[in-house]
Amino acid sequence: LSPSRKELNLLNREEVERWFKKNSPDVVILAAAKVGGIHANESRPVDFLLENLKIEINVIELAWKMGTRRLIFLGSSCIYPKFAEQPIKEEFLLTGNFESTNESYAIAKIAGIKLCSSLRKQYKFDALSLMPTNLYGPNDNYHLQNSHVIPALIRKFIEAKSNSTSVKCWGTGSALREFLHVDDLAEATIFALEEWDYDSKSAPKDENGNKIDFLNVGTGKEISIKNLAEMISEIIDYKGEIIWDTSMPDGTPRKLLNVSKIHTLGWESKIPLKIGLEKTIKEYQEMNYLK
């Protein structure tokens, strides 16, 4: 079962409770969230904090109360400090200040992680969390101001190809980012459900030998936003100029996840960035053609 937003409003506790009573799910994967790029996070911090807290409390608490056997909560790499040592280990959580442009989103996601951890500690509820890096893929939000960087760039270059000799991109282009195709995340989530036994002696541990209940999920590879824009431009065959608007923020200067713990469990990403971008761009073009 995977109810759409129209079928189930996760912000409404009564609706969520009725859904749990009716369906009695054995396993829950909480992937729903209020998400957006730098502009959206910075301009609507209350929305990102309140809506994500409500979704997490409603779903995670009710899954526990209604007898769900296992839950996976999807967080975000935004939870880590802005200037964390790279690549970022799970142990670096709450060791420094957040990036100011997405602080509300990060705080909400950390609350979800800690709720899962606390339910496991106090009530033995089998709740685990995955922290994916920046995601991209089909059915994304392609709004020019509120979307994440890849869908925004794809739309900009496709629209500019037919009517503009230049494309304006936000920031300096120097920020480094890691990108994971959503199909890889889907595989990682199923893998975690099937292979990650928190109570096993071989379960992932932190640097002090203590078991951990959240894992990074990424590729272990990074690219500058400038090189990303050039790669997307090349795939789309855009011949115009790329202009960098340095009045807009870059966000966190670098954000590369250490994925050694999930690699030790046996999972690695499979989709190279360029192949994933080619597939995503084709899907976006076909989607617009059908409209």
Side-chain angles (χ1 to χ4, degrees), residues 5-281:
R5 186 179 302 176
K6 290 182 179 179
E7 295 169 327
L8 177 61
N9 178 9
L10 297 179
L11 299 174
N12 186 308
R13 188 175 178 85
E14 289 73 23
E15 279 192 37
V16 177
E17 187 169 3
R18 285 195 298 268
W19 186 90
F20 269 96
K21 287 179 177 178
K22 178 181 178 181
N23 295 284
S24 301
D26 182 53
V27 173
V28 169
I29 300 170
L30 179 52
K34 171 78 172 178
V35 300
I38 289 177
H39 175 75
N41 274 270
E42 196 170 29
S43 60
R44 300 201 304 277
V46 174
D47 297 348
F48 280 84
L49 186 56
L50 277 180
E51 291 190 28
N52 283 304
L53 286 174
K54 287 178 182 177
I55 290 170
E56 291 161 12
I57 291 171
N58 289 343
V59 176
I60 297 171
E61 183 186 8
L62 286 167
W64 160 60
K65 284 188 172 181
M66 297 296 177
T68 295
R69 178 176 60 85
R70 195 157 217 226
L71 179 141
I72 293 282
F73 170 62
L74 298 184
S76 166
S77 59
C78 293
I79 64 171
Y80 293 111
K82 179 174 183 177
F83 297 111
E85 180 185 333
Q86 306 286 319
I88 305 170
K89 297 179 180 180
E90 289 87 349
E91 290 89 341
F92 296 164
L93 179 64
L94 297 176
T95 59
N97 294 326
F98 304 115
E99 159 60 36
S100 61
T101 56
N102 58 27
E103 182 179 79
S104 290
Y105 181 70
I107 289 171
K109 284 297 184 180
I110 292 171
I113 298 168
K114 293 301 183 181
L115 178 56
C116 289
S117 296
S118 298
L119 285 168
R120 173 178 291 282
K121 180 179 180 180
Q122 187 171 345
Y123 295 108
K124 309 302 181 187
F125 179 49
D126 191 7
L128 298 167
S129 301
L130 297 177
M131 299 302 112
T133 189
N134 303 282
L135 299 171
Y136 72 100
N139 302 313
D140 208 335
N141 168 24
Y142 288 88
H143 191 281
L144 288 175
Q145 286 191 319
N146 296 333
S147 66
H148 289 110
V149 60
I150 283 182
L153 289 175
I154 288 173
R155 179 174 171 182
K156 280 184 177 184
F157 282 110
I158 286 177
E159 291 183 354
K161 185 176 180 180
S162 60
N163 60 22
S164 179
T165 58
S166 67
V167 168
K168 183 178 288 188
C169 299
W170 288 6
T172 64
S174 63
L176 295 167
R177 291 291 182 272
E178 174 185 20
F179 295 99
L180 181 73
H181 194 279
V182 290
D183 288 353
D184 271 336
L185 176 60
E187 282 199 5
T189 305
I190 299 302
F191 176 88
L193 283 170
E194 295 176 346
E195 304 295 336
W196 184 8
D197 179 2
Y198 178 86
D199 294 318
S200 168
K201 290 183 179 179
S202 60
K205 299 176 178 63
D206 65 18
E207 293 174 336
N208 296 316
N210 300 312
K211 292 179 185 176
I212 59 173
D213 51 18
F214 70 96
L215 292 178
N216 292 336
V217 184
T219 64
K221 301 175 182 177
E222 62 188 346
I223 185 173
S224 72
I225 298 301
K226 179 178 184 293
N227 288 341
L228 173 69
E230 291 171 350
M231 183 182 291
I232 292 173
S233 173
E234 180 183 342
I235 293 170
I236 293 170
D237 195 31
Y238 175 72
K239 304 296 186 182
E241 182 183 7
I242 301 175
I243 300 170
W244 293 95
D245 181 0
T246 57
S247 68
M248 301 302 289
D250 280 325
T252 302
R254 188 184 181 201
K255 192 169 63 171
L256 177 66
L257 294 182
N258 183 315
V259 289
S260 60
K261 289 184 177 64
I262 196 166
H263 283 184
T264 300
L265 273 179
W267 180 87
E268 292 187 22
S269 63
K270 297 182 178 66
I271 304 173
L273 179 58
K274 187 171 184 182
I275 292 174
L277 287 174
E278 289 171 345
K279 181 180 178 182
T280 303
I281 289 167

